[in-house]
Amino acid sequence: MKALVINCTLKRSPDPSNTEALAGVVVDQLEKDGVRVEVVRAVDLDIEPGVTSEPVREGDAWPSVHAKLLDAEILVMASPTWLGRPSSVAQRVLERMDAMLSETDDEDRPVAYNRVAGVVVTGNEDGAHHVVSEISGALADIGYTIPGQAWTYWHLGPGAGPDYLDEERGRDWSHSTGRAMAANLAGVARALAERPLGAPPG
């Protein structure tokens, strides 16, 4: 079983990413459960704006990410909170994923069917629940199954404060929630593999 983590931080590599650090807790638990995990930092890629799976122009990196999405049973979207909302990078990724609404497999099922997704959020301001809701709602629209408690977050809001990598407070809860998230994602993904959803009725 494979999982893809898309880190939607605004920081390019090799800058440290608070969001990727918390997502690492989920990655570790997934790997302990036998899941192979790949992490992509979207801001490092030349992803053009648009709502298509095909390249918008030469050099557009989205088709390679799209192929990774179709190769993974589990998706983890990880985003910082900025002004109480998902990052602009997360929004761009979701807009490109919009094309998956009209893509089907060989059995006429939406390509996101029988795949599961969850959300990781960090930020030194409040708004994590809103970010989880926005991203989870979009992924459910596309066709992903969102298990119960398929998220974790860390912040010390409201208001400005330290970053996740600079602060120990709150980590225990975020980590235990992240491990539960990983277990739920893997469990539901395996259940769907054993009893997959069929094509929606016409």
Side-chain angles (χ1 to χ4, degrees), residues 30-168:
L30 285 170
E31 290 178 337
K32 288 177 181 176
D33 205 5
V35 179
R36 288 179 289 162
V37 184
E38 180 176 3
V39 179
V40 170
R41 193 181 291 205
V43 74
D44 288 341
L45 306 176
D46 188 7
I47 297 174
E48 289 291 313
V51 289
T52 175
S53 295
E54 284 67 44
V56 172
R57 64 167 179 80
E58 186 175 353
D60 182 7
W62 180 253
S64 66
V65 180
H66 178 258
K68 294 177 190 295
L69 287 167
L70 297 185
D71 194 40
E73 294 86 0
I74 299 170
L75 169 63
V76 175
M77 285 277 290
S79 174
T81 303
W82 289 113
L83 299 173
R85 301 183 58 82
S87 73
S88 57
V89 175
Q91 183 63 30
R92 178 165 295 193
V93 168
L94 290 170
E95 286 168 351
R96 292 303 295 265
M97 290 179 70
D98 181 81
M100 294 169 66
L101 283 164
S102 58
E103 297 171 9
T104 55
D105 64 15
D106 293 339
E107 298 182 34
D108 290 326
R109 296 175 298 198
V111 291
Y113 269 35
N114 300 309
R115 305 178 195 276
V116 301
V119 185
V120 172
V121 181
T122 58
N124 58 16
E125 58 183 302
D126 205 347
H129 280 289
H130 178 73
V131 174
V132 169
S133 297
E134 283 212 358
I135 296 176
S136 296
L139 295 174
D141 282 349
I142 293 166
Y144 282 88
T145 295
I146 313 297
Q149 209 271 282
W151 48 263
T152 189
Y153 68 84
W154 179 94
H155 75 80
L156 289 180
D163 291 332
Y164 170 82
L165 286 170
D166 301 324
E167 177 60 64
E168 293 291 331

Side-chain angles (χ1 to χ4, degrees), residues 7-48:
N7 178 16
C8 297
T9 178
L10 301 183
K11 299 174 183 174
R12 294 185 182 274
S13 298
D15 288 351
S17 164
N18 295 286
T19 305
E20 192 161 303
L22 180 55
V25 175
V26 180
V27 169
D28 288 346
Q29 187 62 44
L30 285 170
E31 290 178 337
K32 288 177 181 176
D33 205 5
V35 179
R36 288 179 289 162
V37 184
E38 180 176 3
V39 179
V40 170
R41 193 181 291 205
V43 74
D44 288 341
L45 306 176
D46 188 7
I47 297 174
E48 289 291 313

